[in-house]
Amino acid sequence: MNRGDRGMDGRERGLDSAGRASNTAVQRPSTSGRPPSTVVHAARTSVRPMSAPDRPPPHASRLPAFLFSPLLVAVLASPACGSSSSQAVPDAGTAADGALPQPDGASPRSDGGFSGSDGGSAGRPDGSSPGDDGSAAAFDASGDAPGGQLLSRSYGGRDYLLYVPVSYTAGTPAPLVVMLHGCTQTPADFAAGTQMDAQADAAGFLVAYPDEPTSANTEQCFNWFLPADQARGAGEPQLLAGIVGDVAGAYAVDAHRVYAAGLSAGAAMAVVLGATYPDVFAAIGAHSGLEYQAATDVTSGLTASASGGPDPTQQGDAAYAAMGAYARVVPVVVFQGTADTTVAPANGAQVAAQWVETDTKAGAKLAAAASTPGAGGGKSYTLTTYADAASGAPLVEEYLVSGLAHAWSGGSTAGTFTDPAAPDASAIMWAFFAAHPK
């Protein structure tokens, strides 16, 4: 059985008569120590296995694990392998008020949220409860893990995890944060490393963790660098926006408080979502990511990751053009490490500069950038803020963390590619999101 026949947690699984995974109970990830090879990898391409010197020893520290393997250069796979961009998925349009995509059975609520056909109960659009048909089995957290439920769901042929916090109340619209993992990671691994579920329990928001399977990209990188996945109405942006609608079809979601954040390739895709679906996502968070359309193929993706992308003013204009009729000011929070050898530190500043240009085009009037020092978790950082000129409210924030490698700042060693001895990016991102509803 190949990796494409494994679940999001890496376990082999079969399919039932309806084509659904037959063992969807979610487990916390084990520690594999497997390092990511790059932020960009050719979609659906085979790569050489890492040689013994490249592999970290079992249970090796996750932070230096990024240094074990070089960037891999590959060619695009044969069209016969299929494409995530051409995969047929339900339409991810917008609701009548332009707020959220609506799957079958979802309807807008008078209070600005969305509910399923059962009026917002914690069930599926057809009225069944999660787990009734094996498609949304629950994992009950225990020990020091969050106390809500981590559910395994699917939409448009793509698996995703959904965390429902302990405080969720059926029928009461809750915020939703979409978390996009980095290369070689899985949704369960990313959830464990970022500990965003703990933030969700404390603040009462839902968290979705879409999977990027090896059938879409061999190294499980979201395809942020492919033109077919950089526009509205097609490819991965359409699919990810559709997942928002799928969640809204089963749970009450506040249409004004839907956010996207990611690490590395996931961060680059979060930037794409901000540009292509600004009517769906109120704000975005990019950790060790790249500006909009920093690359349009594998080669330029590797170049941008290693040394930075094109002129951010130019890319800011491109992002504004991608917004089309849905153009609006999108608040953005950026994290970048000075010791990152996978995504060059220059990329963090470019993401911030790109969004300053995009938001200015969308009508924002920003004051001059202001930089302040700070510290948290054992590392210092410089916070650069671009605030609204009239209110002084931050619109674009960039945290440049000294000594941070290519790892989630302040994350947990329960997941891969984290640095616990750094400012808590999950807490900071949520605080930023909470202050920026749509």
Side-chain angles (χ1 to χ4, degrees), residues 164-238:
V164 182
V166 291
S167 60
Y168 175 79
T169 301
T172 301
L176 169 66
V177 177
V178 178
M179 295 286 287
L180 306 176
H181 64 73
C183 299
T184 77
Q185 292 183 308
T186 65
D189 176 26
F190 196 44
T194 61
Q195 292 289 294
M196 191 60 82
D197 296 349
Q199 298 295 323
D201 271 344
F205 59 89
L206 300 159
V207 192
Y209 298 91
D211 183 36
E212 180 75 350
T214 55
S215 59
N217 184 290
T218 304
E219 291 298 292
Q220 298 166 281
C221 310
F222 283 96
N223 293 310
W224 61 272
F225 52 92
L226 297 179
D229 296 299
Q230 295 174 338
R232 186 185 183 93
E236 292 181 354
Q238 180 189 30

Side-chain angles (χ1 to χ4, degrees), residues 285-308:
H287 196 312
S288 311
L290 298 94
E291 63 187 355
Y292 179 68
Q293 286 187 336
T296 54
D297 56 28
V298 175
T299 301
S300 59
L302 293 168
T303 299
S305 298
S307 57

